[in-house]
Amino acid sequence: MPELLSAKQVSKIYQMGTNSVKALDSVSIDVNEGEFVAIQGTSGSGKSTLLNMLGGLDHPSSGEVFFASKPLGPFSKREMARYRRFSVGMIFQNFNLIPTMSAVENVSLALAFGGLRGLQRRERTKRLLARVGLEDRMTHRPSELSGGEQQRVAIARALANNPKVLLADEPTGNLDSVRAHELLGLLREMVTQDSLTILMVTHDHELANSFADRIVLMKDGKVV
């Protein structure tokens, strides 16, 4: 399988007043196309910081992130926005859905940003929500959905514009164990059937062992 996403010697230093905090320390990681990789480590180990670098939400202090062999560093603001919209999808522990919008509207908005219009947009929205098992919950707002259902809407939204990679930051953090297994079963299915590439930060070793192809361990900003 070809390498799709990688970090090469990536470091990130945050300035906290007069103190420098090294969140990442020369981290290198390669993720192949169609691979499900879990990143584990204690709080403060740099897991989420690494995910933000790979998703183009933050820039390394040194080192480089590559997508399909292209470095992200030279990207203009417009190219970076396009990368975040079409190449990578992201889901988070807190779902980040718009509370006043229904499931359909939340997903449709992502497609609108991607440039899809009219009937095509409506049909793709319905297909995406059906794919995550929410055919009968499309008109419900987040407050009317369970945590597991909200995260499924978030997945449908993240996949709206056909990204190659899904970056998931503690996606099961707010779910009970049954819903967590259901959700990761769905993601595993997408890896197998749709050749989706997934990089997931999780503190749950049992889930990582059950669903990921391999586990990357981090400690003190380093891969161990």
Side-chain angles (χ1 to χ4, degrees), residues 4-178:
L4 186 61
L5 188 62
S6 64
K8 308 288 188 195
Q9 297 293 308
V10 166
S11 294
K12 182 66 181 181
I13 298 168
Y14 292 105
Q15 208 61 39
M16 305 286 192
T18 55
N19 295 328
S20 295
V21 178
K22 194 169 239 185
L24 292 177
D25 187 359
S26 299
V27 169
S28 293
I29 181 175
D30 302 320
V31 183
N32 294 329
E33 203 170 325
E35 192 176 25
F36 192 152
V37 178
I39 301 176
Q40 288 203 280
T42 54
S43 184
S45 60
K47 308 183 301 294
S48 295
T49 304
L50 177 60
L51 214 64
N52 287 339
M53 299 292 155
L54 294 168
L57 297 177
D58 203 351
H59 302 287
S61 302
S62 62
E64 187 60 276
V65 173
F66 294 83
F67 178 80
S69 302
K70 287 184 181 174
L72 300 191
F75 277 18
S76 66
K77 274 188 178 177
R78 177 176 285 187
E79 286 171 324
M80 191 59 89
R82 188 172 175 80
Y83 170 73
R84 288 196 298 262
R85 191 164 291 158
F86 295 105
S87 297
V88 292
M90 293 193 80
I91 57 172
F92 303 91
Q93 181 174 338
N94 295 325
F95 319 133
N96 291 353
L97 300 174
I98 297 171
T100 56
M101 287 186 165
S102 66
V104 161
E105 290 165 336
N106 266 283
V107 177
S108 184
L109 185 63
L111 288 164
F113 283 129
L116 209 58
R117 297 279 174 266
L119 183 63
Q120 272 185 311
R121 189 163 89 205
R122 284 196 296 277
E123 286 181 347
R124 176 144 177 81
T125 300
K126 286 178 182 175
R127 277 202 308 275
L128 284 160
L129 287 168
R131 180 74 177 84
V132 297
L134 293 176
E135 300 95 324
D136 55 349
R137 311 288 281 167
M138 293 189 186
T139 58
H140 291 64
R141 291 184 181 181
S143 60
E144 301 166 316
L145 299 170
S146 69
E149 288 169 337
Q150 288 184 62
Q151 193 60 290
R152 283 167 182 259
V153 176
I155 291 169
R157 182 183 60 184
L159 298 178
N161 296 311
N162 279 321
K164 286 275 192 188
V165 183
L166 181 67
L167 302 175
D169 194 355
E170 295 283 5
T172 61
N174 284 331
L175 307 181
D176 62 46
S177 61
V178 174

